Amino acid sequence: MLSRHARRGVSVVAVQAALLASPGGVLAQSSAVLPPVTVDAPAAAKPKPRKPVVRPVAARTQSAKPARAGAAPAVAAEQGTGSAHASLDAPAAVTRYQLPQRSFSITAKEVDETINLKDPEDAVKYMPSLFVRKRNDGDNMAVLATRSWGLNSSSRTLIYYDDLLISALIGNNNTNASPKWNLISPEAIGRVDYLNGPFAAAYPGNSIGGVLLISSKMPDKPFAVAKETVSVMPWNQYGTKDTYVTSQASAAAGNRDGKLSWLVSANYLDSYQQPLTYTTSAAIPAGTTGAFPALNKQGVAANVLGTGILAHSQQTSGNIRLAYDVTAQVQATYSFGIWNNHQVSDPQTYLKSAATGAPTFAGLSGFATGKYVWDQTHVSNAVAIRSDTKGTYDFDLSASSYNYLQDIQLNPFTVTPTGVGYSQNGKITRMDGTNWQNADAKGIWRPFGYDGPHEVSFGLHGDRYRLESPVYASSVWYATGDTGTGTLYSQGQGETRTGAIWLQDAWRILPNLKLTLGGRFETWRAQDGFNVSTGTSAAGAITSIAAVQQPQLSSTNFSPKASLSFDPNRDWNITANFGQAYRYPTVMELYQNLTVGGVATIANPNLLPEQDLTGELNIERRWSDGRVRLTLFREHVDHAIISQTNLVTNPVTKVQTPTTVISNVDAIRLQGIELSADKDNVFVNGLQLFGSVTYVDSRILADAGWAGLDPLTNLPTAVVGKRVPYVPDWRAKFGVTYRPNDNWAYTIAARYSGKQYSTLDNTDRVSHVYGAFDNFFVVDLKVHYNATKNFAFDFGIDNLFNEQYFLFHPFPGRTFVLAGKYTF
């Protein structure tokens, strides 16, 4: 079978080998994670006639049978057109590769009508169990949390924009390894699909939280759209009272001309943000007033002295996607994207001198971590070629690359001894040179023809992730962005590589019974790990230095998958899924010792891979315009890689620094239930109800290496039986949309998240303080109006009742949203 593809000029081995070449052969290129397997439709006008596919008699007999009731649409490219409720149609990736996962979807039209969309990640706001840690409009550190994994688990989900992986699998955190949502223009989104769990052999172990597929709206006729969105948020917390405004312009245009179709999109965002961090201290500086006495989440004194990060961000992104029909059944695509961010943060002190009444930093260096200038320019490339014969064989070749062309943050080292000034010297934190690549070669073999009893899919995968993260000293902190003095304060670098081969057979035993079996064989390696760390004086002079060449790590694993799906009749489905997966340590978890946004992270170069075993049972009732699904799930993880962030107090200055430590936890278990529903025309025409509720019982089963102390009593604590950090017990969403006609849509929706802990020993005692992880209940409103065929207007309010809550950071309050869109 593979030799036949080779004779056709497709060498999957050569593709993988080229993309996994040594750094000397490929400039800072890295790994290969599976892009979404969507297939763009060929030209709608006068398609070329297809050659008839020659099949064995048995195959022709099977394909002649009528499609079973309730089956997914046969043509992957026509997703969203098969029912009265388009988002209930199976995603293109599911139908093409017979993926066993259950899915949730939303179309661009539904997003327009129901969601105050300011950033691409807003589109998943009301999907069951999902939550995006979006701290402000244009947040470049927004992590997707799923039903069993929390806000710092960026490498436990896979997020694709067409053929490009936007999950930054260089790390597993909610800072510099957050997904690259900002690369996407909201007006280019055509559909968003979420697939639950690690049940498909086609995806690596990073799918243990799920797979999110964002598809662009490739055109079959000329179109252009432009949208302006303004959001306004009044803010009053601690000593900061202000109004923060964000302006966003988004546009997209495209056309199809014969064999070539194209889509161009762009986005510009200008965002003033509420305080994202606060400067705290265990003691209030002598001779000052204005501090806010407070405790941290563990009940230790953490008096709020001023803001930390108080930022203004200006972001520009652009994308172009080209699709060319090589033949009537083979299409090649290419995508290029660029994103630029210029961000400036200027902290505000609440302290005043008791003697003079003048504002002062009181000599506290913590304010310097929130003062910065940050410039980023990232680029992405993705190429793919795939066939859609619906015959005996189809193939899918893809490769993508993401590169940090520029990523430089400038900070002063400390503050002046008195007043509100900063030291002349500083730090330059660089990540330019960091990059990753992904390559995949996949095939489909239908021995009995399209829609036959067996459909075998298979593939090869390769990826490479490279981290470059030096921090340099600079003599003038704001004027030496390129080189600094050349003296290193710290260095973190290294590389991980993964290669995989996978196989899956979707076997339709009976017309209403399908068994899917698969497996994924992977080999992983971490190499070139190198760290430099230094000791410094209070003024920034280096007093000691240590350099460590870290040991190489490797692992080889096999992950079996199984799924059984049964349709008792056309309205019901019962599916049981099982999947094992290995989530390998990321290069940042292994090698990056760094302070980002005032949060210091301590890497662990000896981490073991996570071994995840997940099972679920789905029972689903469908209508033409609705669905109810009940899911029971259980997940067991050995060697779970868990980080936790606590405030660490400097014994001399009493200033507190958030510090993150990373470790393997021997064993954890997560089990629960998820109930979701979505139905149109409830009671009256045009009235849609949607919602979900999820309960998770998460427990630490074993952690022999734990040696923690209670910060209040200084006595040893235990972790066995405690809840897993960052996983709330309850999540719930409920919404109503009323469409009295084609011109108006009114939506009110609510989101709730229950209690969650952020420490392994669950010593989070205090809620609603900086650093805590609170429960919250947020209500949103939106009115959508199609004024004419071309003009549409939106008015909305996010967080209607101005709920104030912390998920470590303070989250947005009541925000008013106005938008106008013109479609040409």
Side-chain angles (χ1 to χ4, degrees):
M1 178 170 50
L2 291 176
S3 63
R4 182 176 302 181
H5 283 292
R7 288 196 300 271
R8 292 178 182 175
V10 179
S11 173
V12 296
V13 176
V15 171
Q16 177 171 306
L19 279 148
L20 299 182
S22 65
V26 179
L27 175 60
Q29 301 287 306
S30 42
S31 66
V33 172
L34 292 172
V37 286
T38 54
V39 180
D40 295 315
K46 297 182 180 180
K48 292 183 179 180
R50 291 181 176 176
K51 293 182 180 180
V53 178
V54 179
R55 301 175 182 167
V57 173
R60 293 197 299 267
T61 303
Q62 174 67 27
S63 62
K65 293 179 180 180
R68 68 182 179 90
V75 182
E78 294 177 353
Q79 66 172 343
T81 62
S83 72
H85 193 142
S87 60
L88 298 179
D89 294 346
V94 171
T95 57
R96 178 170 172 84
Y97 281 94
Q98 298 293 299
L99 301 180
Q101 289 113 314
R102 302 296 89 187
S103 63
F104 297 102
S105 305
I106 189 167
T107 65
K109 182 176 185 295
E110 292 169 319
V111 170
D112 272 349
E113 294 177 347
T114 62
I115 296 173
N116 294 316
L117 185 78
K118 293 166 281 182
D119 297 298
E121 59 268 35
D122 291 331
V124 309
K125 185 183 291 186
Y126 305 126
M127 282 188 175
S129 298
L130 301 186
F131 175 76
V132 177
R133 190 206 75 144
K134 180 185 165 185
R135 305 166 301 170
N136 52 266
D137 293 339
D139 191 1
N140 59 341
M141 297 182 180
V143 171
L144 178 65
T146 61
R147 68 187 180 194
S148 55
W149 293 105
L151 305 174
N152 64 341
S153 297
S154 60
S155 73
R156 293 190 181 99
T157 53
L158 295 171
I159 306 174
Y160 296 97
Y161 178 48
D162 290 324
D163 303 304
L164 175 71
L165 179 74
I166 65 168
S167 291
L169 300 185
I170 50 170
N172 182 48
N173 57 46
N174 49 26
T175 54
N176 42 26
S178 300
K180 306 306 178 184
W181 308 95
N182 311 76
L183 192 71
I184 305 170
S185 171
E187 291 309 302
I189 297 174
R191 179 182 168 109
V192 181
D193 301 297
Y194 174 71
L195 313 180
N196 252 324
F199 307 122
Y203 293 110
N206 305 91
S207 63
I208 60 177
V211 181
L212 191 74
L213 307 177
I214 304 172
S215 304
S216 60
K217 51 174 90 168
M218 288 300 291
D220 56 10
K221 59 183 179 181
F223 94 100
V225 61
K227 184 178 181 180
E228 175 68 24
T229 304
V230 176
S231 60
V232 179
M233 180 180 63
W235 182 263
N236 187 359
Q237 190 175 76
Y238 293 120
T240 301
K241 184 177 182 180
D242 208 337
T243 298
Y244 299 102
V245 179
T246 296
S247 174
Q248 182 182 44
S250 180
N255 193 11
R256 184 178 187 94
D257 184 11
K259 294 182 178 183
L260 178 67
S261 58
W262 56 272
L263 174 68
V264 176
S265 59
N267 191 69
Y268 174 74
L269 179 138
D270 191 326
S271 175
Y272 289 88
Q273 304 162 5
Q274 85 277 8
L276 294 184
T277 62
Y278 289 102
T279 300
T280 63
S281 174
I284 297 175
T288 66
T289 62
F292 288 81
L295 301 176
N296 69 10
K297 63 186 178 183
Q298 294 176 295
V300 177
N303 303 293
V304 179
L305 312 181
T307 71
I309 298 174
L310 188 59
H312 173 212
S313 182
Q314 295 170 295
Q315 300 180 33
T316 306
S317 67
N319 279 273
I320 181 169
R321 179 170 170 81
L322 306 174
Y324 182 76
D325 296 333
V326 181
T327 71
Q329 299 166 336
V330 177
Q331 186 179 74
T333 59
Y334 170 72
S335 300
F336 172 80
I338 186 168
W339 170 69
N340 176 266
N341 178 37
H342 175 71
Q343 190 173 107
V344 177
S345 174
D346 195 8
Q348 171 191 4
T349 180
Y350 302 151
L351 298 175
K352 293 184 179 180
S353 168
T356 66
T360 179
F361 288 148
L364 297 175
S365 62
F367 283 103
T369 64
K371 175 72 173 179
Y372 63 76
V373 178
W374 193 5
D375 284 293
Q376 299 172 282
T377 301
H378 296 184
V379 297
S380 66
N381 288 272
V383 62
I385 182 168
R386 53 177 59 93
S387 69
D388 189 23
T389 67
K390 296 184 173 60
T392 305
Y393 296 102
D394 272 308
F395 67 86
D396 191 331
L397 305 178
S398 59
S400 65
S401 174
Y402 194 96
N403 287 268
Y404 291 41
L405 291 188
Q406 181 190 45
D407 202 300
I408 303 173
Q409 187 179 92
L410 310 178
N411 293 82
F413 188 88
T414 188
V415 297
T416 54
T418 58
V420 291
Y422 298 94
S423 64
Q424 185 82 345
N425 66 309
K427 297 185 293 183
I428 303 173
T429 302
R430 304 190 65 155
M431 287 190 67
D432 35 345
T434 297
N435 61 90
W436 59 86
Q437 288 75 45
N438 295 269
D440 286 278
K442 296 179 284 185
I444 305 171
W445 176 42
R446 307 180 182 98
F448 301 100
Y450 188 82
D451 203 28
H454 282 275
E455 188 164 304
V456 180
S457 54
F458 51 91
L460 296 175
H461 166 80
D463 62 52
R464 176 176 174 268
Y465 289 83
R466 181 72 189 178
L467 171 69
E468 297 287 348
S469 184
V471 179
Y472 294 99
S474 61
S475 55
V476 180
W477 75 266
Y478 51 84
T480 52
D482 289 336
T483 59
T485 64
T487 303
L488 280 173
Y489 278 135
S490 67
Q491 167 73 298
Q493 69 180 40
E495 185 174 299
T496 62
R497 296 188 180 198
T498 309
I501 184 170
W502 60 271
L503 178 71
Q504 174 189 280
D505 182 16
W507 176 22
R508 194 173 300 284
I509 304 172
L510 297 170
N512 63 344
L513 182 66
K514 183 171 73 171
L515 175 66
T516 304
L517 298 175
R520 187 179 183 91
F521 181 81
E522 295 172 296
T523 178
W524 169 84
R525 183 170 79 252
Q527 61 188 34
D528 300 337
F530 179 70
N531 288 111
V532 173
S533 59
T534 59
T536 63
S537 68
I542 294 175
T543 57
S544 64
I545 185 168
V548 180
Q549 190 75 46
Q550 303 293 2
Q552 290 192 8
L553 302 175
S554 63
S555 185
T556 299
N557 308 100
F558 177 73
S559 304
K561 320 281 185 179
S563 174
L564 185 65
S565 179
F566 174 59
D567 298 322
N569 55 50
R570 63 179 299 164
D571 298 326
W572 288 86
N573 173 265
I574 302 171
T575 299
N577 289 325
F578 160 85
Q580 187 175 43
Y582 290 84
R583 205 279 287 181
Y584 297 108
T586 64
V587 66
M588 283 184 177
E589 289 172 311
L590 294 168
Y591 305 131
Q592 189 187 49
N593 297 318
L594 188 66
T595 298
V596 178
V599 181
T601 300
I602 301 174
N604 184 345
N606 301 302
L607 292 171
L608 299 172
E610 293 181 338
Q611 182 178 350
D612 182 275
L613 192 65
T614 300
E616 68 173 20
L617 175 66
N618 296 279
I619 303 172
E620 183 176 298
R621 170 69 162 93
R622 292 177 65 104
W623 298 269
S624 62
D625 61 353
R627 173 176 61 198
V628 174
R629 181 186 297 159
L630 175 69
T631 302
L632 305 175
F633 59 91
R634 182 183 177 93
E635 190 168 352
H636 179 98
V637 185
D638 290 326
H639 312 305
I641 302 173
I642 295 179
S643 63
Q644 57 177 335
T645 303
N646 294 317
L647 289 175
V648 176
T649 303
N650 184 305
V652 177
T653 66
K654 303 302 180 182
V655 171
Q656 294 169 323
T657 301
T659 302
T660 300
V661 294
I662 304 167
S663 64
N664 281 115
V665 175
D666 293 339
I668 65 173
R669 184 211 65 216
L670 309 105
Q671 59 186 1
I673 184 171
E674 177 186 80
L675 177 65
S676 63
D678 189 347
K679 182 71 169 65
D680 287 341
N681 305 314
V682 180
F683 304 122
V684 297
N685 281 340
L687 183 65
Q688 177 190 6
L689 300 182
F690 57 91
S692 64
V693 59
T694 306
Y695 172 74
V696 182
D697 174 32
S698 63
R699 298 294 166 185
I700 298 173
L701 303 181
D703 190 13
W706 174 256
L709 299 175
D710 188 300
L712 286 182
T713 65
N714 208 36
L715 295 175
T717 58
V719 297
V720 174
K722 300 298 176 65
R723 283 174 43 190
V724 177
Y726 307 106
V727 181
D729 50 358
W730 290 94
R731 278 200 184 107
K733 302 178 183 183
F734 177 76
V736 179
T737 297
Y738 179 52
R739 302 176 179 89
N741 52 49
D742 292 338
N743 294 331
W744 291 92
Y746 307 88
T747 299
I748 179 169
R751 295 169 287 136
Y752 171 79
S753 179
K755 173 63 179 175
Q756 59 183 292
Y757 293 94
S758 59
T759 55
L760 286 166
D761 55 6
N762 293 181
T763 53
D764 304 28
R765 298 180 175 90
V766 183
S767 300
H768 298 283
V769 295
Y770 171 57
F773 284 77
D774 297 328
N775 59 330
F776 60 86
F777 178 76
V778 173
V779 178
D780 307 322
L781 298 176
K782 177 166 184 176
V783 178
H784 175 76
Y785 175 48
N786 293 317
T788 69
K789 180 180 178 180
N790 303 103
F791 271 113
F793 298 95
D794 296 324
F795 170 73
I797 304 175
D798 284 336
N799 196 354
L800 175 65
F801 299 114
N802 200 29
E803 175 89 344
Q804 292 202 1
Y805 60 101
F806 293 84
L807 296 173
F808 185 86
H809 307 273
F811 267 61
R814 183 187 296 116
T815 305
F816 301 90
V817 183
L818 288 170
K821 181 163 74 171
Y822 186 80
T823 303
F824 297 88

